[in-house]
């Protein structure tokens, strides 16, 4: 599925707003999570959008966190050394009606 830059930016802004609202609700309910200071010197969660289920007709994995990213590249060579949420690109493109629920 193809997407324009403008549509990508609009969807990215919606998902960012949604994620921030969910994060606020989750931390109010469960408290602050363990935080790492990533290589950029902040504690923001980064969102990587890519095709997780390359062969799937519809996304079966929406997204995930991976603990490897909490380690330095010396300890785990494939670490991104940041708090990162991996989101499936097919879900990002085709399921817009789900993630702006709390963005309104």
């Amino acid at each position: 599925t193809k997407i324009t830059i403008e549509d990508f930016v609009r969807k990215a802004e919606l998902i960012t707003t949604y994620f921030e609202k969910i994060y606020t609700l989750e931390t109010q309910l469960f408290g602050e999570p363990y935080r790492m200071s990533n290589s950029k010197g902040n504690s923001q969660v980064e969102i990587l959008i890519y095709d997780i289920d390359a062969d799937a007709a519809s996304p079966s994995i929406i997204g995930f966190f991976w603990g490897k990213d909490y380690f330095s590249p010396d300890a785990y060579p494939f670490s991104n050394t940041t708090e990162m949420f991996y989101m499936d690109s097919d879900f990002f493109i085709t399921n817009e009606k789900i993630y702006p629920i709390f963005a309104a």
Side-chain angles (χ1 to χ4, degrees):
T1 307
K2 295 198 178 209
I3 185 170
T4 65
I5 294 294
E6 292 80 14
D7 202 27
F8 177 87
V9 169
R10 183 182 59 77
K11 289 174 183 279
E13 289 171 350
L14 284 173
I15 198 73
T16 299
T17 301
Y18 171 76
F19 193 86
E20 287 173 353
K21 288 190 177 189
I22 290 296
Y23 181 84
T24 300
L25 178 62
E26 292 290 328
T27 55
Q28 288 172 350
L29 292 171
F30 301 109
E32 290 292 326
Y34 168 78
R35 303 303 303 212
M36 70 176 285
S37 178
N38 64 30
S39 61
K40 296 176 183 88
N42 64 46
S43 60
Q44 293 179 330
V45 176
E46 297 184 28
I47 301 173
L48 174 65
I49 300 168
Y50 80 106
D51 192 5
I52 296 171
D53 287 340
D55 297 334
S58 64
S60 59
I61 299 173
I62 295 170
F64 61 90
F65 286 95
W66 196 350
K68 71 166 176 65
D69 292 326
Y70 282 91
F71 296 97
S72 72
D74 293 335
Y76 196 94
F78 300 105
S79 174
N80 288 307
T81 60
T82 190
E83 289 187 73
M84 183 175 288
F85 180 73
Y86 298 81
M87 176 179 270
D88 185 68
S89 58
D90 289 331
F91 177 82
F92 177 79
I93 292 169
T94 61
N95 291 286
E96 182 176 325
K97 64 184 174 196
I98 293 173
Y99 52 78
I101 292 170
F102 296 101

